[in-house]
Amino acid sequence: MGVSGIGTNSYPFGQKNVTGYAAQKAENSNPQEETANMSWTVKAENHDIVLHGQESAEDGKVVSAWACVTGNTSMTVYQPHDFDPAHPVYKVKVWDSHGNVTEQMVDISTVDPSNCDTAEMYAYSAWLSKSGKCPDALQKFMMAHAHHKDKGGSHGYESLFEKEDWLKIVREVMEMQYRAGNLKGYVDYKRFLGVLEQGKEEKDAKSARKESEQKESKVETDVQVRPDGSRVLVMTRTAGGMAVATSIELSKPTDMPNDKAGEETAKEEWSVPDISGLSEQLFGE
């Protein structure tokens, strides 16, 4: 679990270029016990910001909490009790300076780092760190976020829900580290960027496959009149190069001779009924 604060320069507390600030965590004195209620206080010279990080049966276990002194905002990422590592979903709660809270469920598998808001990217980075896919992802994201805001990004509660291209932002920080001669920082951010880009490529490929499958899968219908005068609806579904046909009787045979039945059929006006619901039942769509 991460507990962080942001100083006047929007950098995480504890960095060498920020002084006079501290992030404190208050919890059960026994570190081996699961704490039912935990809270954190970020203190500055003229601030007393509370990170709303209490755990509850409704929210689940706290993964990371973050407070920003400049915007008087707070954000906490929770791991729900029904969390499935195979399909990770986190809950994110964001508080404004007046204590009003907004919450959202973030499906990690759908987060696009090239087009997502701060809350989504924070949850994604927390998952990358907690899952071990990129242990320092959360720290690197927060530093990239701070750089972006200092460079001219919007501030305040509303900005946390604005879509950003975090791949571009992280790349800018990586290049800045290189120009400054900080090769270790350059390598660290390059690794973080690589993880983000790989994740995006995998999601894009999965989305492309799904779209292709949807295009390939189609259902065709045809109403056939048999010699005995009966009508049959033939539904053919094509998917993955294979075709499956299903027939449904629409009307019973008639007593008329075959040629008369054909003549009567040509005269009648008849429309194909709506079979969209029926198609779902037959093919399981």
Side-chain angles (χ1 to χ4, degrees), residues 63 83 85 88 90 108 122-133:
V63 177
F83 181 79
Y90 280 159
I108 301 301
Y122 183 48
Y124 185 35
S125 300
W127 175 77
L128 287 174
S129 291
K130 185 175 178 60
S131 65
K133 293 182 179 297

Side-chain angles (χ1 to χ4, degrees), residues 260-273:
K260 293 295 183 181
E263 293 176 5
E264 291 298 322
T265 300
K267 295 178 181 179
E268 293 179 1
E269 293 184 0
W270 190 84
S271 59
V272 179

